């Protein structure tokens, strides 16, 4: 019997598991994919929003500001790439200049510190590549960027280190209320738990309906992106937004913590988890971004991708509610990444109000470190290679990732099972060639270390096979 069963291990499920692992509780996480952070969490803008956009008094407003405060310390303690870069919201017309005043007043009401409205010239002095058409900008110094998948992984790994159980490739198929607990049916058997947290992202309404009468509908929205090479990584120093509209915060231009430039997203309603990219969608992103920063060299694009966000129909706030020990964390669109640790705190409050007894652990671990070979000084690299020669074999040339780092990931609390899972942990394949050089070598290492054949190694989710069959020489065909 579990105390709490969490359905979904994106950023919200991972944050909830992390927060609950502080207490003397039996916590289990169920994730339908073969890795954590394999949905919305891996395909978003990676922005930690300052908190001026949500309506004052909303859960979004309260939890956004609190979440950004928590994220700074968490990323430091859990060794997650983080950069306090600040953000601009640009105005191109007198009407949009008035909208900046509204956003600033909203931010002040929400408790966002340091907000200031700059003239176009003042903004261009800070960001010389901004358009000459910019009339004003709202500056939010507390906005930041992070590595969202590593943030999620770090929270989940820490939860596991503190006793939480993680079950991958475990899809929930139904559930029923027993006398004093829930019985959850999955593709890998049944689980019993006194409390349930529904953090199933775009499937949160379907999971809710397995337990309780229908009360909300999730309508997925796809956002498409450009990821540009590091040659464009210094085009801007801050995250650049345009004035938000009915479709969200709009197309942004932002540096990433890995030194690239990210541009996007658009907003397109889709059915299910449709992460395809389209010519029309990418053209919209490109042309809209050029309005903010006309000099972006889109010829430096190294990857296009899309992520799906979980919008609740008719709702403009997070759905965080408890009924009979079943807790929904649904409709977590932007600023969900920003608010995640604060959402987790709120979920624990809901569980406590529902009767869950909380007793803090005396041995809670809240530290994590991983080796980043390319960031070490020369003497540090030499010492590491002498200690472990596998760190002297560079597997990914673009990002200078070594075999030692892959082996370290494979012996972590949540080891990778696919090529992209390795990429999310240590950046192998994240560079200019997008795995063209290192991909086969990563497959070789995964197969060797996991005791599998190369044709059993997948690119990412189940079914994304890279190889099939064998030649006469015993090598798998592409």
């Amino acid at each position: 019997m579990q105390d709490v069963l969490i359905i979904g291990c994106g950023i919200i499920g991972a944050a909830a598991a992390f927060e609950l692992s502080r207490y003397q509780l039996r916590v289990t996480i169920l994730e339908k994919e073969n890795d954590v952070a394999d949905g919305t969490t891996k395909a978003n803008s990676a922005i930690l929003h300052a908190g001026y956009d949500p309506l004052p008094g909303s859960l979004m407003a309260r939890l956004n500001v609190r979440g950004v405060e928590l994220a700074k310390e968490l990323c430091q303690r859990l060794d997650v790439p983080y950069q306090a870069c600040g953000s601009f919201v640009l105005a191109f017309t007198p009407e949009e200049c008035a909208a900046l005043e509204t956003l600033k007043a909203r931010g002040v009401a929400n408790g966002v510190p340091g907000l200031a409205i700059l003239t176009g010239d003042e903004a261009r002095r800070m960001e010389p590549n901004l358009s000459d058409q910019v009339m004003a900008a709202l500056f939010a110094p507390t906005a930041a960027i992070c590595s969202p998948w590593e943030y999620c992984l770090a929270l989940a790994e820490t939860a596991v280190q503190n006793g939480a159980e993680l079950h991958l490739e475990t899809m929930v198929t139904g559930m029923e209320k027993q006398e004093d607990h829930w019985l959850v049916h999955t593709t890998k058997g049944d689980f019993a738990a006194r409390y349930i947290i529904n953090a199933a992202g775009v499937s949160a309404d379907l999971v809710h309906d397995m337990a309780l009468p229908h009360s909300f509908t999730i309508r997925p929205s796809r956002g498409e992106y450009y990821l540009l090479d590091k040659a464009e990584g210094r085009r801007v120093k801050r995250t650049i937004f345009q004035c938000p509209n009915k479709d969200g915060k709009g197309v942004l231009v932002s540096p990433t913590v890995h030194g690239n430039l990210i541009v996007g997203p658009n907003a397109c309603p889709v059915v299910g988890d449709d992460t395809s990219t389209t010519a029309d969608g990418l053209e919209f992103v490109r042309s809209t971004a050029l309005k903010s920063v006309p000099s972006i060299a889109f010829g430096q694009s190294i990857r296009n991708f899309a992520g799906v966000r979980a919008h609740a129909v008719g709702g403009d706030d997070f759905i965080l509610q408890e009924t009979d020990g079943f807790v929904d964390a649904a409709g977590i669109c932007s600023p969900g990444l920003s608010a995640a640790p604060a959402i987790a705190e709120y979920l624990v409050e809901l569980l406590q109000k529902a009767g869950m007894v909380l007793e803090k652990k005396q041995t809670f671990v809240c530290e994590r470190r991983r080796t980043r070979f390319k960031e070490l000084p020369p003497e540090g690299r030499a010492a590491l290679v002498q200690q472990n020669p596998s760190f002297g074999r560079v597997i990914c040339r673009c990002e200078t990732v070594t075999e030692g780092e892959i082996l370290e990931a494979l012996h972590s609390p949540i080891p990778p099972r696919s090529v992209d899972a390795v990429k999310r942990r240590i950046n192998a394949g994240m560079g200019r060639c997008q795995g063209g050089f290192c991909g086969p070598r990563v497959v070789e290492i995964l197969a060797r270390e996991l005791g599998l054949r190369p044709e059993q190694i997948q690119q990412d989710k189940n079914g994304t096979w890279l190889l099939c069959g064998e030649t006469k020489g015993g090598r798998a065909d592409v």
Side-chain angles (χ1 to χ4, degrees):
M1 172 76 72
Q2 298 299 303
D3 292 305
V4 186
L5 188 72
I6 301 168
I7 301 172
C9 200
I11 188 65
I12 302 304
F18 170 84
E19 190 63 26
L20 287 165
S21 71
R22 297 178 183 272
Y23 303 97
Q24 298 286 355
L25 296 169
R26 293 181 295 276
V27 178
T28 290
I29 319 153
L30 307 181
E31 169 55 52
K32 68 176 182 178
E33 304 296 350
N34 59 11
D35 197 15
V36 306
D38 208 10
T40 300
T41 300
K42 75 173 182 183
N44 59 68
S45 306
I47 309 301
L48 299 173
H49 297 279
Y52 52 75
D53 193 54
L55 292 173
S58 66
L59 284 171
M60 277 188 181
R62 167 186 161 187
L63 301 177
N64 184 163
V65 175
R66 170 67 175 162
V68 171
E69 292 174 356
L70 292 171
K72 184 175 183 179
E73 179 183 356
L74 281 172
C75 288
Q76 181 179 12
R77 297 191 69 173
L78 302 181
D79 198 11
V80 176
Y82 170 97
Q83 182 180 336
C85 60
S87 68
F88 281 173
V89 181
L90 306 182
F92 294 88
T93 66
E95 292 77 17
E96 290 182 346
C97 289
L100 296 188
E101 295 287 352
T102 300
L103 287 176
K104 181 184 177 185
R106 193 180 293 174
V108 171
N110 291 343
V112 181
L115 293 173
I117 293 181
L118 311 177
T119 66
D121 287 340
E122 288 172 331
R124 277 183 289 274
R125 279 197 287 272
M126 296 174 69
E127 291 288 353
N129 289 316
L130 292 181
S131 167
D132 291 340
Q133 303 303 310
V134 173
M135 296 179 64
L138 174 64
F139 175 44
T142 56
I145 54 178
C146 71
S147 172
W149 46 86
E150 191 166 350
Y151 191 14
C152 177
L153 177 68
L155 292 168
E157 282 187 347
T158 307
V160 169
Q161 283 188 299
N162 284 292
E165 295 181 10
L166 172 64
H167 296 264
L168 298 173
E169 300 179 73
T170 307
M171 179 182 290
V172 174
T173 58
M175 65 185 78
E176 53 193 277
K177 188 70 167 73
Q178 305 292 309
E179 185 174 341
D180 63 347
H181 67 276
W182 289 91
L183 185 64
V184 179
H185 309 299
T186 80
T187 53
K188 291 193 174 179
D190 292 345
F191 293 81
R194 293 186 174 86
Y195 300 94
I196 305 290
I197 291 178
N198 171 19
V202 296
S203 301
D205 53 348
L206 304 179
V207 170
H208 171 95
D209 293 352
M210 293 177 187
L212 299 167
H214 182 80
S215 64
F216 61 88
T217 299
I218 299 298
R219 192 65 48 80
S221 175
R222 180 179 63 207
E224 298 168 65
Y225 292 87
Y226 284 87
L227 182 68
L228 278 65
D229 185 62
K230 289 179 171 62
E232 283 294 294
R234 297 185 180 180
R235 183 67 62 182
V236 294
K237 298 177 182 177
R238 298 163 184 84
T239 300
I240 309 300
F241 296 99
Q242 296 175 11
C243 276
N245 54 44
K246 62 181 178 64
D247 294 321
K249 296 178 175 64
V251 173
L252 61 83
V253 180
S254 179
T256 75
V257 291
H258 301 113
N260 301 87
L261 190 75
I262 190 170
V263 181
N266 60 343
C268 177
V270 293
V271 176
D273 191 19
D274 180 1
T275 56
S276 56
T277 56
T278 65
D280 288 344
L282 292 171
E283 173 54 28
F284 172 81
V285 168
R286 188 193 70 83
S287 59
T288 305
L290 289 173
K291 180 180 178 182
S292 299
V293 185
S295 58
I296 298 172
F298 279 94
Q300 294 290 336
S301 176
I302 60 174
R303 190 176 187 87
N304 295 120
F305 67 94
V308 176
R309 294 156 282 182
H311 287 279
V313 175
D316 55 6
D317 204 353
F318 298 145
I319 299 171
L320 304 174
Q321 59 191 18
E322 182 273 331
T323 303
D324 205 11
F326 185 95
V327 179
D328 286 305
I332 311 296
C333 52
S334 180
L337 178 68
S338 312
I343 290 174
E345 288 183 337
Y346 189 83
L347 295 176
V348 172
E349 290 176 16
L350 290 178
L351 290 170
Q352 191 172 23
K353 289 177 182 177
M356 188 174 74
V357 178
L358 297 178
E359 180 184 348
K360 284 201 171 183
K361 291 176 179 174
Q362 299 299 314
T363 58
F364 177 68
V365 176
C366 190
E367 297 291 336
R368 170 185 177 270
R369 288 290 176 269
R370 77 169 180 84
T371 305
R372 293 180 173 85
F373 184 81
K374 73 175 183 179
E375 296 179 8
L376 295 174
E379 60 274 17
R381 293 184 182 188
L384 186 59
V385 172
Q386 186 174 17
Q387 179 184 352
N388 185 343
S390 67
F391 284 97
R393 292 188 284 274
V394 174
I395 302 300
C396 174
R397 292 177 177 177
C398 297
E399 295 292 320
T400 319
V401 176
T402 66
E403 182 175 1
E405 291 164 90
I406 297 175
L407 297 177
E408 192 176 81
L410 283 164
H411 291 89
S412 67
I414 307 176
R417 302 185 180 190
S418 68
V419 173
D420 280 0
V422 171
K423 177 170 71 173
R424 286 189 289 272
R425 283 157 176 77
I426 56 172
N427 282 16
M430 194 77 76
R432 188 180 186 93
C433 82
Q434 288 291 290
F437 173 79
C438 67
R441 304 176 77 187
V442 172
V443 169
E444 180 184 356
I445 293 170
L446 282 171
R448 183 189 74 210
E449 296 298 319
L450 298 177
L452 300 172
R453 300 188 306 275
E455 61 267 31
Q456 293 177 291
I457 303 299
Q458 302 184 77
Q459 181 69 40
D460 191 8
K461 298 183 180 185
N462 283 336
T464 56
W465 308 107
L466 289 165
L467 307 169
C468 62
E470 291 186 355
T471 65
K472 288 184 179 180
R475 297 175 63 97
D477 295 329
V478 176

